[in-house]
């Protein structure tokens, strides 16, 4: 059974800093890994999808890396802004695809201070 | 022009009632899901549907039943609601079971 751990659980930093959010998972037999953000009272917004064959994926100020063999992924946020404040969730997808669904970590609650 | 939409957004009901949550996606995706986010904000998959066929059912009580009238809709019916069913329920879809998933805004269910 896949288990996902995200560290840190919470983070509060002044704006402008570069951040690294960590995700580890116990079963390396994944098909892909997705990073989401969740704003309070809102749904999940997909940020990045990394296929198991990829090492990293970039979108704007966000860069996600994947080391499948060691069961780790990191989300790098450059030049953080107050609008980046949210909970960030990591979710690997099992090799069974839809039959496995996404397994979520408990998230990193991020606060960017103006 | 919402991609994955759920109704209602909020639902307050008494124990023992039967309720439904509707989900529609206009993305043409083949796979749809229901996830539950409990009071500790932990998200877990409940069901997934691929072309109207149930793929998985993760140790969910049989009081919960997904129903898909067509590829674009996956509704969640809950019978005999219990206090422990209070949670936020998210619908999601993806082109196939192996691609990026898109989530609805969630339905906050409160059982009193």
């Amino acid at each position: 059974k896949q288990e996902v751990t995200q560290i840190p659980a919470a983070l509060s930093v002044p704006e402008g800093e570069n951040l690294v959010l960590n995700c580890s998972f116990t079963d390396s037999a994944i098909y892909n890994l997705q990073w989401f953000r969740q704003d309070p009272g809102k749904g999940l917004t997909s940020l990045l999808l990394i296929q198991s064959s990829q090492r990293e994926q970039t979108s704007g100020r966000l860069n996600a890396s994947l080391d499948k063999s060691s069961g780790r992924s990191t989300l790098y946020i450059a030049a953080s802004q107050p609008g980046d404040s949210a909970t960030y969730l990591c979710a690997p997808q099992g090799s069974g695809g839809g039959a496995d669904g996404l397994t979520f970590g408990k998230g990193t609650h991020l606060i960017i201070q103006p | 022009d919402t991609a994955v939409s759920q109704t209602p957004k909020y639902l307050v009901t008494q124990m023992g009632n039967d309720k439904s949550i509707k989900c529609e996606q206009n993305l043409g995706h083949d796979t749809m899901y229901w996830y539950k986010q409990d009071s500790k904000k932990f998200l877990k998959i409940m069901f997934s549907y691929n072309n109207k066929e149930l793929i998985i059912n993760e140790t969910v009580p049989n009081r919960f039943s997904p129903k898909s009238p067509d590829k674009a809709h996956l509704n969640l019916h809950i019978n005999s609601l219990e206090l422990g069913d209070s949670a936020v329920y998210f619908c999601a879809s993806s082109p196939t079971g192996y691609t990026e998933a898109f989530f609805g805004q969630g339905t906050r269910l409160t059982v009193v």
Side-chain angles (χ1 to χ4, degrees):
Chain A
K1 180 186 170 187
Q2 180 75 277
E3 292 184 5
V4 180
T5 303
Q6 291 189 243
I7 295 173
L11 185 61
S12 180
V13 299
E15 70 175 303
E17 288 201 6
N18 300 324
L19 308 169
V20 175
L21 309 183
N22 297 293
C23 170
S24 62
F25 46 94
T26 55
D27 185 353
S28 62
I30 65 169
Y31 194 84
N32 59 45
L33 185 143
Q34 208 165 341
W35 280 92
F36 295 87
R37 69 175 278 169
Q38 184 175 23
D39 294 279
K42 301 287 179 66
L44 279 68
T45 301
S46 178
L47 297 173
L48 289 164
L49 172 74
I50 311 179
Q51 300 292 348
S52 61
S53 57
Q54 295 178 308
R55 296 287 292 182
E56 64 178 59
Q57 192 70 252
T58 298
S59 175
R61 294 183 294 108
L62 305 178
N63 174 277
S65 67
L66 175 64
D67 184 344
K68 181 183 162 184
S69 60
S70 66
R72 295 180 188 276
S73 178
T74 60
L75 180 67
Y76 178 81
I77 303 175
S80 58
Q81 302 171 359
D84 295 331
S85 298
T87 296
Y88 289 79
L89 297 161
C90 160
Q93 171 128 51
S95 55
D100 291 346
L102 295 170
T103 301
F104 284 87
K106 292 187 177 181
T108 294
H109 181 55
L110 177 63
I111 297 175
I112 307 298
Q113 306 154 10
Chain B
D1 216 26
T2 307
V4 182
S5 60
Q6 299 178 224
T7 53
K9 188 172 181 180
Y10 300 97
L11 182 55
V12 180
T13 187
Q14 291 186 327
M15 282 175 48
N17 284 351
D18 303 336
K19 289 294 178 185
S20 295
I21 306 172
K22 295 185 176 180
C23 177
E24 175 181 5
Q25 54 97 1
N26 61 6
L27 299 167
H29 290 170
D30 282 342
T31 307
M32 295 184 72
Y33 309 85
W34 278 105
Y35 286 83
K36 177 181 179 180
Q37 188 170 42
D38 61 25
S39 57
K40 296 182 179 178
K41 306 296 185 186
F42 199 38
L43 264 164
K44 286 191 68 174
I45 190 164
M46 299 176 70
F47 304 104
S48 73
Y49 254 75
N50 189 338
N51 282 330
K52 297 175 63 175
E53 280 191 61
L54 179 66
I55 297 176
I56 59 172
N57 181 339
E58 285 281 321
T59 62
V60 173
N62 58 15
R63 298 181 296 102
F64 291 78
S65 57
K67 289 190 169 46
S68 180
D70 55 56
K71 198 174 83 166
H73 296 84
L74 182 63
N75 304 323
L76 184 64
H77 298 272
I78 315 169
N79 295 324
S80 303
L81 278 155
E82 301 177 355
L83 293 176
D85 298 332
S86 295
V88 181
Y89 293 85
F90 287 98
C91 177
S93 73
S94 62
T96 71
Y98 294 92
T99 46
E100 187 177 10
F102 296 86
F103 281 71
Q105 81 277 23
T107 295
R108 181 174 295 277
L109 171 66
T110 304
V111 183
V112 298

